[in-house]
Amino acid sequence: MTVYVHSVSMTKFGNSENASLKDLMLAASRDALDEARELKMDAVFVGNYMGGSLANQEILGAIVANDLGLGHIPTAKLEGACASGGIALRQGILSILSGEYESVLVVGVEKMKHAPTATVTQFINSAMDQTTNERYAGLTFPGFFGVVANRYFYETGANKSHLAKLALKNRENALQNPLAQFQKSATLEEIMNARIITDPLGLFDCSPITDGAAAVVLSRKPSDIKILASAQASGPTMMQDAIDLLSLPAIRISGQQAYEKAGVGPEDIDVVEIHDCFSISEMLAIEELGFFPKLEGWLAIEQGKTQVNGEKPVNTSGGLLSRGHPIGATGVAQFYQLVHQLRGHAPNQLEKRPKLALAQNLGGTGSYSVVHILERV
């Protein structure tokens, strides 16, 4: 059995001051259903991380089914920190492959901008193990990835300018994406001299707080986009458990599993959306996924190989750094960009229309990774 993508939708990412969590979720869901109106939904899967904490709203799947008149179908909310959207997609795919359902709606959503930064940070930090000395020492996500970045510099010839070039690439890509959060250009000098969040990561190296939603309709009925592989793996939940600080094994393993299922290799992938919660995480991911040798991702950035016109275009949407990172919606938004790339009308559309696309969605400091490979039929 094969699973196909029938429709994708996405709200504008950024500050949705006048829209609630429910408003965003229903808007994305409605648009995806309208495009796939010939299909009857058998289930709804929602990716969301902080709906209960920040918006005081749970039962998200039931709300979609009820408010959009989908009937008494089964629904579920999936949580996997920043990989919540990717995990919801995977569960939707598996539910069809099992034979239980024919068509399902997957929606990812998060509403974050209304809350104080300190409150958002507190809840994001719950995606780390809260019972360890690391938590009591004050380790945060920027702190973790700052340590990783410094170690990467120590082990390679890379420096802060390489992270800045990566961040600039994603900012320039977002300028062509009308749904991206950041629509203001930046210079390399501005990125290099931006306020430090945690050394060596500056403001442009860190994904922003974002509101937004994205949705996908999946079905066993054929369409022009086929899902070749869905894979998921787990990794260490504490820095002290990492065998190698410069490795995120969940990404490597989920990538290897996806390639094996799809019968392809990293050299076959034409366009990529990667989970760049921080600039250094994209650097590590392009190595873990086999696009470039270990500890040589910085050279690929220096040589422009991940640009839109490069040999392995990465984050043509602007990525989390500039498209924005509404946590539960991020993995689903990756599908939005890749499906449009495969169909030939994406922001920053590749000159040669791609055939194969890969999405990689990360949760925690490497606790979860979900990889999907899509093919244009």
Side-chain angles (χ1 to χ4, degrees), residues 252-367:
R252 183 180 68 257
I253 293 167
S254 58
Q256 290 171 344
Q257 291 175 349
Y259 293 139
E260 183 177 349
K261 289 180 180 183
V264 302
E267 67 280 1
D268 300 309
I269 303 298
D270 300 311
V271 62
V272 185
E273 286 288 311
I274 270 176
H275 194 96
D276 58 320
C277 49
F278 298 89
S279 52
I280 186 62
S281 62
E282 179 175 326
M283 194 90 76
L284 294 183
I286 59 177
E287 297 175 0
E288 295 285 33
L289 292 168
F291 299 131
F292 304 101
K294 186 172 173 61
L295 302 183
E296 293 184 17
W298 65 281
L299 291 173
I301 299 301
E302 187 175 80
Q303 296 163 10
K305 292 183 177 180
T306 60
Q307 299 276 2
V308 171
N309 59 358
E311 67 179 54
K312 194 67 67 176
V314 175
N315 286 335
T316 63
S317 67
L320 283 64
L321 290 178
S322 288
R323 181 197 60 225
H325 182 29
I327 291 179
T330 289
V332 187
Q334 292 178 331
F335 262 50
Y336 179 87
Q337 178 70 9
L338 293 178
V339 167
H340 282 295
Q341 279 284 0
L342 295 173
R343 288 178 171 169
H345 46 76
N348 298 301
Q349 180 64 47
L350 303 191
E351 186 174 335
K352 181 183 178 183
R353 187 175 166 197
K355 175 76 170 175
L356 292 176
L358 181 146
Q360 181 269 318
N361 191 196
L362 187 71
T365 54
S367 306

Side-chain angles (χ1 to χ4, degrees), residues 117-187:
T117 299
T119 301
V120 176
T121 301
Q122 176 188 350
F123 287 123
I124 289 176
N125 282 349
S126 68
M128 303 175 76
D129 190 334
Q130 296 297 296
T131 64
T132 68
N133 291 334
E134 292 176 357
R135 177 248 179 169
Y136 292 108
L139 185 66
T140 62
F141 279 91
F144 174 88
F145 284 101
V147 169
V148 171
N150 277 313
R151 185 68 192 182
Y152 192 87
F153 294 170
Y154 178 81
E155 295 283 352
T156 69
N159 56 51
K160 186 174 172 60
S161 72
H162 296 95
L163 298 183
K165 288 173 183 175
L166 188 155
L168 178 61
K169 166 186 70 78
N170 290 355
R171 177 57 65 98
E172 290 175 340
N173 287 349
L175 295 179
Q176 308 304 318
N177 182 357
L179 297 180
Q181 181 166 353
F182 293 124
Q183 300 288 292
K184 182 182 177 183
S185 62
T187 65

Side-chain angles (χ1 to χ4, degrees), residues 9 11 18 51 66 151 155 168 184 190 214 225 239 268 330 364:
S9 68
T11 68
N18 298 317
N66 181 74
R151 185 68 192 182
E155 295 283 352
L168 178 61
K184 182 182 177 183
E190 183 181 3
I225 305 295
M239 180 183 288
D268 300 309
T330 289

Side-chain angles (χ1 to χ4, degrees), residues 84-100:
S84 297
I87 292 173
L89 281 165
R90 176 165 164 77
Q91 292 305 307
I93 292 165
L94 292 177
S95 74
I96 294 174
L97 290 175
S98 74
E100 183 72 13

Side-chain angles (χ1 to χ4, degrees), residues 8-57:
V8 290
S9 68
M10 177 177 156
T11 68
K12 166 77 173 169
F13 279 12
N15 187 355
S16 300
E17 187 175 357
N18 298 317
S20 67
L21 177 83
K22 175 179 172 177
D23 292 336
L24 293 168
M25 178 175 66
L26 292 181
S29 299
R30 191 177 292 112
D31 287 347
L33 291 171
D34 283 348
E35 187 181 336
R37 62 176 60 91
E38 75 282 1
L39 301 178
K40 178 183 179 296
M41 295 302 105
D42 298 314
V44 175
F45 296 89
V46 179
N48 175 259
Y49 179 47
M50 295 186 291
S53 303
L54 287 185
N56 195 34
Q57 183 63 70

